[in-house]
Amino acid sequence: GGSGSMSAVELEGKASATIPTNTFTRHGYRFIGWNTKADGTGTSYTEGETISITANTTLYAQWEEYKISGTANGHDYVDLGLPSGTLWATCNVGANAPEDYGDYFSWGEIVAKLAYYDDACATSGKQMSDISGNSKYDAARANWGKNWRMPTAEEQQELLENCSWEWTTLNGVGGMQVTGPNGNSIFLPAAGFRVDYTYSFVGLYGSYWSSTPQEVNNKDANRIFFGSSSCGANANYRYYGLSVRPVSK
């Protein structure tokens, strides 16, 4: 079962009420709505929906389990059915659950930092090749070990082009549910990013490094990004602290 608590909605003689936002959590599951029966066979309702009732009514949270396809070095992955066969991890580096933000890394660095400045970035301004699988620069390989690495820009583009992206919440955390051609999915939390000592756009925006440097500017590297209504890929300053979602293949 889940955990947490919510206050009862008092109608005080009114015949309708708006269903509040769910605050319950359940590890390994995502909330999908409410139902008048615990087993989901009753009437279904969604958050924010206005309902009319004539008697005391109990609504039960409904959950959908996040499926995994396997485990490597103690970390779970999902086969999304992508053409390349790339397997995507269920969590960010530094996270213990899909909705956890995890650590933030400057591109080409393998340890999270207190502050993120251009002159403190080990790779900013350097001519670099793709770092995927290089434990000196790849935060996924360095922290998770063999079988894991940062995705290339090409693999991130494959994720954008072959999957559906839907803004949702997982245990109260906003982010993107990315569903592959075979119906399996991963959750990318909107962890925001780090600049200087600050955390920016946490809960509103996601930014994830690829292993591929930008070709025309030695201070940039490629990434994917998303907000609540859009997603895409472009270059970003290497010194920024972004999330890393590992892949295996």
Side-chain angles (χ1 to χ4, degrees):
S3 61
S5 63
M6 293 181 66
S7 300
V9 177
E10 302 289 343
L11 296 183
E12 298 181 354
K14 295 184 291 184
S16 64
T18 299
I19 299 175
T21 300
N22 170 56
T23 59
F24 294 117
T25 62
R26 188 178 182 186
H27 181 67
Y29 291 76
R30 73 181 186 97
F31 173 76
I32 58 174
W34 300 96
N35 197 278
T36 54
K37 292 186 177 181
D39 63 2
T41 60
T43 303
S44 296
Y45 298 104
T46 59
E47 293 176 313
E49 183 176 352
T50 299
I51 61 174
S52 297
I53 59 176
T54 57
N56 290 338
T57 302
T58 299
L59 298 181
Y60 298 89
Q62 301 296 299
W63 306 92
E64 179 179 78
E65 184 176 11
Y66 264 90
K67 298 178 181 178
I68 67 169
S69 303
T71 303
N73 292 357
H75 300 281
D76 296 333
Y77 62 80
V78 175
D79 180 358
L80 297 170
L82 296 168
S84 69
T86 300
L87 307 172
W88 283 79
T90 60
C91 297
N92 292 345
V93 176
N96 294 313
E99 67 273 21
D100 291 346
Y101 295 144
D103 293 329
Y104 300 80
F105 299 90
S106 293
W107 188 85
E109 297 186 359
I110 60 175
V111 178
K113 301 185 292 189
L114 179 63
Y116 296 78
Y117 291 97
D118 184 54
D119 59 6
C121 177
T123 66
S124 183
K126 293 184 178 181
Q127 183 69 38
M128 303 278 290
S129 58
D130 197 292
I131 62 174
S132 187
N134 184 336
S135 60
K136 183 178 180 180
Y137 301 107
D138 183 330
R141 176 61 59 86
N143 287 279
W144 284 18
K146 185 180 178 181
N147 299 322
W148 292 106
R149 57 181 176 80
M150 293 170 65
T152 64
E154 183 178 1
E155 288 167 332
Q156 287 190 336
Q157 192 64 37
E158 179 185 53
L159 196 71
L160 287 169
E161 294 177 353
N162 289 272
C163 297
S164 65
W165 290 61
E166 179 185 5
W167 182 267
T168 186
T169 58
L170 178 60
N171 290 327
V173 177
M176 280 287 186
Q177 178 173 316
V178 183
T179 304
N182 62 4
N184 292 340
S185 63
I186 58 172
F187 178 76
L188 299 176
F193 55 88
R194 298 285 313 276
V195 179
D196 302 336
Y197 287 93
T198 64
Y199 293 81
S200 299
F201 297 101
V202 175
L204 302 173
Y205 184 82
S207 190
Y208 286 73
W209 284 126
S210 80
S211 62
T212 308
Q214 223 279 332
E215 293 182 355
V216 298
N217 189 336
N218 289 335
K219 286 184 173 290
D220 292 352
N222 292 293
R223 61 157 188 168
I224 53 173
F225 64 89
F226 59 83
S228 60
S229 60
S230 63
C231 56
N234 63 11
N236 195 90
Y237 288 127
R238 294 179 186 178
Y239 75 89
Y240 275 40
L242 306 188
S243 304
V244 171
R245 177 60 61 94
V247 297
S248 184
K249 187 177 179 180

